[in-house]
Amino acid sequence: MKLKTHEANRHFAKPAPDTTGTLIFGTDAMRVALKRQDLLKNLLGESAEEEMRLTRMLAGELRQDPAALSDAVKAQGFFPGPRAVFVEDATDALADKIIPALEDWQSGDAHVVVTAGNLKPTGKLRKYFEKHPFAFAVGIYDDPMSRDEVQTELSKAGLNNVDGEAMRDLEALARALDPGDFRQTVEKLSLYKLGDPSTVTPDDVQACAPASTEAVLDDLLHATAEGRAPELGPLLSRLEAQGIAPTRLAIATTNHFRTLHMAASDPEGPNKGIFRARPPVHFKSRDRMTRQASRWGASKLETALDMIIEADLTLRSTSKAPQMALIERTLIRLAFMAARG
């Protein structure tokens, strides 16, 4: 059966006993691997490897020995407890080698965990798992971590006492980092608070957060909003050398100035507006963006947004104008607007 995100998270956290198998697929191998680790740990417990209740095999091995999966699923170990067979890097071309083992599955056999890259909805392997009444198909997509997933990572690390502002900071980090990097940050935070029963604060989060997330792009946006035009050229050169597309710069600039406009328009002031922003503003930028919103004002920010959107539309049109030069000119005009106050 096909599982939606919240259903999949429940399945990974508490797998149903005596079920046939789980297919986990997606373009991001790290995200797929993290979910697979959670599933196997919660299905088998901590000592599965030592007790030989987990069998690993590469999907390619099935080409040489198609019966290997069926044999592993049926094999009985020396230790009691649930068993699993993990098949890594499957493709739809191997569906005919994997499906027979699942069709021959009986109660008491090992749970089959299959990981794969991006699988088409019409592919044989994915369709089989989605239609099977006692097997599960889970697509892992490049969406930011949900609040529930963030809280799950915190709970696993023993961080159950987090104040509201620190939680907002952690959610902002979860949007900026890959899940694996966020998990490492949470582990670092757990060690940082080891033996300290006090509430996790924003200062604790800041002490453990990675030193930079797209720092050059952040520097460019802040320099633009703060009127520091001479700094834009070198920053743009660095971003261009890193392969950042002009359209991505336009999107990032639009998002930054929309957040400033929302904050400047908040009836309770820019400080409250920045805290209400969705997605949350990264805690390291919060004070700076509050000052930027106050300096610009809502009316001036509306003019700025019109300029950015016009540039974005030109970039996406059939215009032959040099794209990086176009976005650079727009950012310089914005910086001069900011400098005039």
Side-chain angles (χ1 to χ4, degrees), residues 307-322:
M307 289 170 52
I308 301 166
I309 291 169
E310 181 182 354
D312 193 12
L313 291 173
T314 303
L315 288 173
R316 298 170 190 273
S317 71
T318 56
S319 171
K320 295 183 179 180

Side-chain angles (χ1 to χ4, degrees), residues 49-238:
E49 295 269 16
E50 295 84 349
E51 296 178 357
M52 296 178 290
R53 291 185 289 109
L54 173 62
T55 302
R56 299 173 182 266
M57 62 178 64
L58 291 171
E61 296 174 17
L62 299 179
R63 293 191 181 94
Q64 286 76 38
D65 186 3
L69 180 56
S70 293
D71 292 343
V73 169
K74 297 290 184 184
Q76 294 296 321
F78 294 105
F79 295 89
R83 295 178 298 110
V85 181
F86 166 40
V87 182
E88 189 173 9
D89 293 335
T91 64
D92 205 55
L94 292 172
D96 292 337
K97 306 290 192 300
I98 296 172
I99 290 175
L102 300 173
E103 292 183 333
D104 194 34
W105 191 93
Q106 296 179 348
S107 179
D109 289 347
H111 188 91
V112 181
V113 178
V114 180
T115 61
N118 193 31
L119 296 176
K120 295 180 180 179
T122 55
K124 189 173 183 180
L125 184 62
R126 178 173 167 180
K127 286 179 65 176
Y128 180 84
F129 272 88
E130 288 182 346
K131 293 182 178 180
H132 197 293
F134 301 110
F136 309 95
V138 182
I140 306 298
Y141 303 103
D142 297 343
D143 299 326
M145 296 177 68
S146 67
R147 184 181 180 89
D148 287 343
E149 289 175 315
V150 171
Q151 289 179 326
T152 297
E153 291 297 332
L154 293 172
S155 295
K156 287 194 296 186
L159 297 169
N160 298 310
N161 189 13
V162 181
D163 76 18
E165 189 174 344
M167 178 59 75
R168 285 192 290 270
D169 292 342
L170 287 164
E171 288 176 4
L173 270 179
R175 289 180 173 275
L177 301 174
D178 289 333
D181 292 335
F182 180 75
R183 180 173 290 187
Q184 290 180 352
T185 301
V186 170
E187 290 173 356
K188 182 179 178 181
L189 180 60
S190 176
L191 291 172
Y192 184 80
K193 295 293 289 184
L194 188 64
D196 180 359
S198 65
T199 301
V200 175
T201 67
D203 288 341
D204 296 329
V205 176
Q206 185 169 1
C208 299
S212 172
T213 57
E214 295 190 312
V216 180
L217 180 55
D218 288 343
D219 288 344
L220 177 74
L221 297 173
H222 288 312
T224 301
E226 292 166 1
R228 293 181 278 115
E231 299 179 23
L232 300 183
L235 290 169
L236 280 167
S237 296
R238 289 173 62 186

